[in-house]
Amino acid sequence: MTHDDSSLTRRQMLAGAGSAGVLAVAGPMSVLGSARPARAASAGGAADGTPEQIHLTWGSDPASSVTVSWASPAEATRPRVQLRRGGDFGRTVPAIQRTYTDGINGETVWTYHAQITGLAPDTGYSYTVTADNDSSPAPFSATFRTAPRGRAPFRFTSFGDLATPNTQWVLSYGQSAYAVAAVESFSPLFHLLNGDLCYADLNPTVQPEVWRDFGNNNQSSAANRAWMPCPGNHEVEFNNGPQGFTSYLTRYTLPDNGERWFRGRWYSFRVGSVLFISLDADDVIYQDAGAFVAGPAALTPVASTGNPPIEPGTSFYIHGYSGGAQTAWLERTLRSARSDPSIDWIVAQMHQIACTSSVTGNGSDLGIRQQWLPLFDRYQVDLVLNGHDHDYERSFPCRGFDNMAGTEVATGAPVQTMRPHPVTTDDTGVFDTSKGTVHLVLGCGGTNANLDDYGVDEADGLPQAKVFTRANRPEATATAGVFARAAADAVEDATWSARRDTSTGYGIAVFDVDPGEPGGLTRIKVTQYHALGADPVNPTTGRPGAPTPDYTEFETFTLVRPRSDRSGRDGAVPDQVTASAQSG
Ligand SMILES: [Fe+2]
């Protein structure tokens, strides 16, 4: 059973509740400490502009620009940030307002964004967030640090699939509060949140409430350091924009990708000698896992939205939405980075996965392998961070692919899965990523569907991966009016799989960048910490567990590569992958 399947019953119930259900399920107060009702007015009847869900993102240059974003229950008057550095009086930065009205429950969401530029690199700042109609006793205050400029050591962290701690919502779970605390405990310069932020689409009649609990849960870390997200399949919401990303895009201000129609879906930023690329794999994957009405009831938006009922069997499938614009942007960005002698590392995050062997999760996707892995090979992308399957898995460094190594599940016939080719299967703990890309599945944030159950080919004992090689659009089931999306259509022996955590589906990856010396090697030390016992039920032992604040080391390994400023470097792009590796 996939995690999408597991939520159908509850989702059907919410969908079936129709517009009357909005009132029934929208009322419960968040467990997250905000006592204000969702659309409050103050005692005097004025709108409540009290800041909440406060979070930071990098601007275009993390060494000099940071955006402070937040929401308020109603329209804020003169929303602003007061910035201070050391003992300076500081400056006031006004925030811009962005709002939207949820296309299912008709609720208006008010968000604010103060874009701060002209900051000093590697410098601590304090700030407050307020508005004239802020009803809190004192303005919210926090601190942050800008990125260093040039080659310097720094730390970042990552996971995806976070959800909220409010277990009234489908796929939310208490671990998501501990996961946020874990980020703080490692004090990274920033955090990469690699998609499936809160699963609001699985709670379609209360999406703004789910997002609110998510934002308030994250605030305890994201107000102190940038949290840089990418969209996952569960950011795709009905009636909320051309790709369903309005809830996501309204709340986040992300580095400009220069694409007029696709801002915020993908972007890059630079810290030290590392280029970070954040992608939206929804654009290239075959699998259909966004918003979906399984039936038998339609999902009926409230009348004020003017939106018609969404009929059973409808899914919001956005494969190919950018018309190739994202892949063209990716190639331009990679080519530029690999001709820049001040950039050593290229780290990509995207939600869906090229290399996963979870058996209860979604599976690997040929779309990523076809469109992006050849670019990752050509331009030596070092590391790819994914979520989507709620577990931890590490690949060997891979380059090129093994031809026709897959098997169609339905027929047993050979099928092309473009199986990534491991350049070594010697698990030494030190990997030269100039020779191959390492993929990590980090869907280990906090959501309640632990999927740390991995495939094995019974014939040879090797890890086995499920692979989507085509779209699994909704099909009618044996139950009248009920539709389902099929599981992945192919399998392959996962020769690329190096390590899988069977003990828990929860954890956090910590990355420490060591810039090295001129002409020598640079390193990234990676440590996966995991939350033992946090699985609702561990699939290997059958043992029930509970959320836990204890994160302990699961494994550590080191990525190395030659620095790009080594003598004799000519700035040329690396050689194309060899024919032998392509056909393996
Ligand atoms: Fe996902």
Side-chain angles (χ1 to χ4, degrees):
M1 179 183 288
T2 70
H3 70 281
D4 292 306
D5 293 332
S6 67
S7 60
L8 290 184
T9 305
R10 174 72 186 275
R11 180 170 47 196
Q12 286 172 229
M13 187 190 81
L14 290 171
S19 56
V22 173
L23 297 175
V25 293
M29 192 168 63
S30 161
V31 297
L32 302 172
S34 172
R36 287 182 299 278
R39 283 161 286 178
S42 69
D48 184 354
T50 306
E52 59 177 45
Q53 307 172 50
I54 296 154
H55 60 100
L56 306 180
T57 51
W58 295 128
S60 57
D61 172 16
S64 67
S65 52
V66 168
T67 298
V68 184
S69 297
W70 66 96
S72 55
E75 183 168 16
T77 306
R78 268 198 338 125
R80 59 198 184 269
V81 163
Q82 184 75 28
L83 182 75
R84 289 185 179 80
R85 172 186 173 184
D88 296 355
F89 177 74
R91 55 181 156 126
T92 300
V93 182
I96 59 150
Q97 174 178 286
R98 290 206 299 262
T99 74
Y100 71 99
T101 298
D102 184 83
I104 295 177
N105 80 358
E107 192 172 318
T108 295
V109 173
W110 305 87
T111 77
Y112 299 91
H113 306 264
Q115 295 183 264
I116 307 170
T117 57
L119 300 170
D122 196 20
T123 299
Y125 290 87
S126 62
Y127 69 98
T128 60
V129 182
T130 193
D132 286 356
N133 53 347
D134 178 351
S135 66
S136 49
F140 175 88
S141 65
T143 62
F144 67 83
R145 190 165 194 89
T146 53
R149 203 182 284 294
R151 283 186 168 89
F154 67 94
R155 167 177 285 184
F156 65 99
T157 54
S158 185
F159 54 60
D161 305 81
L162 181 57
T164 89
N166 184 349
T167 55
Q168 296 186 76
W169 311 140
V170 171
L171 285 194
S172 276
Y173 186 51
Q175 193 64 30
S176 61
Y178 294 130
V180 173
V183 176
E184 269 316 270
S185 75
F186 290 109
S187 298
L189 182 62
F190 63 96
H191 180 65
L192 295 173
L193 182 57
N194 62 53
D196 280 6
L197 278 53
C198 64
Y199 306 89
D201 72 311
L202 297 181
N203 304 269
T205 60
V206 287
Q207 289 175 149
E209 283 67 35
V210 179
W211 278 102
R212 186 185 196 211
D213 285 346
F214 163 81
N216 282 330
N217 179 46
N218 294 351
Q219 178 179 294
S220 59
S221 175
N224 304 325
R225 60 201 77 249
W227 277 45
M228 301 302 287
C230 69
N233 51 306
H234 289 294
E235 277 61 69
V236 179
E237 300 171 352
F238 285 125
N239 298 341
N240 281 332
Q243 296 92 34
F245 291 144
T246 296
S247 297
Y248 172 83
L249 295 170
T250 306
R251 285 172 171 82
Y252 283 96
T253 295
L254 297 165
D256 189 359
N257 61 15
E259 303 274 356
R260 181 179 174 194
W261 301 108
F262 302 116
R263 294 228 162 89
R265 283 99 171 144
W266 61 84
Y267 58 89
S268 68
F269 63 91
R270 165 91 180 268
V271 175
S273 59
V274 187
L275 182 76
F276 292 89
I277 297 179
S278 186
L279 297 169
D280 179 19
D282 295 299
D283 189 19
V284 301
I285 54 170
Y286 286 109
Q287 66 198 276
D288 180 359
F292 175 46
V293 178
L299 172 62
T300 304
V302 298
S304 66
T305 65
N307 290 322
I310 303 165
E311 297 301 327
T314 307
S315 68
F316 199 167
Y317 187 60
I318 61 172
H319 173 89
Y321 74 79
S322 82
Q326 183 171 201
T327 300
W329 173 91
L330 174 62
E331 173 142 36
R332 289 197 303 275
T333 302
L334 291 172
R335 188 189 308 124
S336 167
R338 276 292 172 237
S339 59
D340 182 343
S342 70
I343 293 176
D344 297 325
W345 300 93
I346 301 176
V347 175
Q349 75 163 349
M350 72 184 83
H351 180 65
Q352 293 89 349
I353 320 169
C355 297
T356 170
S357 67
S358 171
V359 73
T360 41
N362 300 276
S364 307
D365 202 292
L366 179 61
I368 300 168
R369 295 177 177 187
Q370 287 172 325
Q371 298 210 38
W372 292 349
L373 262 48
L375 297 177
F376 294 175
D377 285 341
R378 188 172 308 148
Y379 298 105
Q380 294 186 5
V381 170
D382 298 280
L383 181 62
V384 177
L385 309 178
N386 310 277
H388 202 38
D389 286 347
H390 306 158
D391 58 24
Y392 172 80
E393 183 164 12
R394 168 170 59 85
S395 82
F396 292 111
C398 292
R399 181 144 302 165
F401 64 90
D402 301 323
N403 198 32
M404 294 299 288
T407 302
E408 190 177 48
V409 173
T411 63
V415 64
Q416 180 62 280
T417 58
M418 292 181 68
R419 183 175 69 181
H421 179 77
V423 295
T424 177
T425 54
D426 195 3
D427 202 10
T428 60
V430 180
F431 305 102
D432 181 350
T433 52
S434 71
K435 304 285 197 295
T437 302
V438 169
H439 300 256
L440 293 180
V441 181
L442 301 171
C444 48
T447 185
N448 82 340
N450 56 290
L451 304 177
D452 46 324
D453 195 4
Y454 306 87
V456 175
D457 183 343
E458 300 296 344
D460 56 21
L462 288 172
Q464 184 182 64
K466 301 189 296 185
V467 187
F468 285 96
T469 73
R470 54 179 184 253
N472 58 328
R473 303 306 311 279
E475 293 177 359
T477 68
T479 305
V482 175
F483 293 75
R485 296 179 289 196
D489 54 275
V491 292
E492 67 185 15
D493 279 357
T495 50
W496 40 260
S497 181
R499 192 83 195 271
R500 315 188 285 190
D501 188 354
T502 57
S503 59
T504 174
Y506 299 91
I508 180 173
V510 179
F511 304 84
D512 289 303
V513 179
D514 168 7
E517 299 299 325
L521 295 175
T522 170
R523 294 175 175 80
I524 298 180
K525 181 186 173 198
V526 186
T527 308
Q528 172 72 8
Y529 293 85
H530 65 175
L532 285 171
D535 276 1
V537 178
N538 181 270
T540 303
T541 64
R543 203 170 294 141
T548 171
D550 298 325
Y551 284 75
T552 56
E553 184 176 322
F554 171 64
E555 71 160 346
T556 186
F557 57 95
T558 302
L559 310 179
V560 302
R561 67 174 294 123
R563 275 177 48 148
S564 300
D565 62 351
R566 67 189 188 277
S567 61
R569 190 178 189 284
D570 59 6
V573 299
D575 294 339
Q576 303 275 334
V577 291
T578 63
S580 61
Q582 280 181 325
S583 59

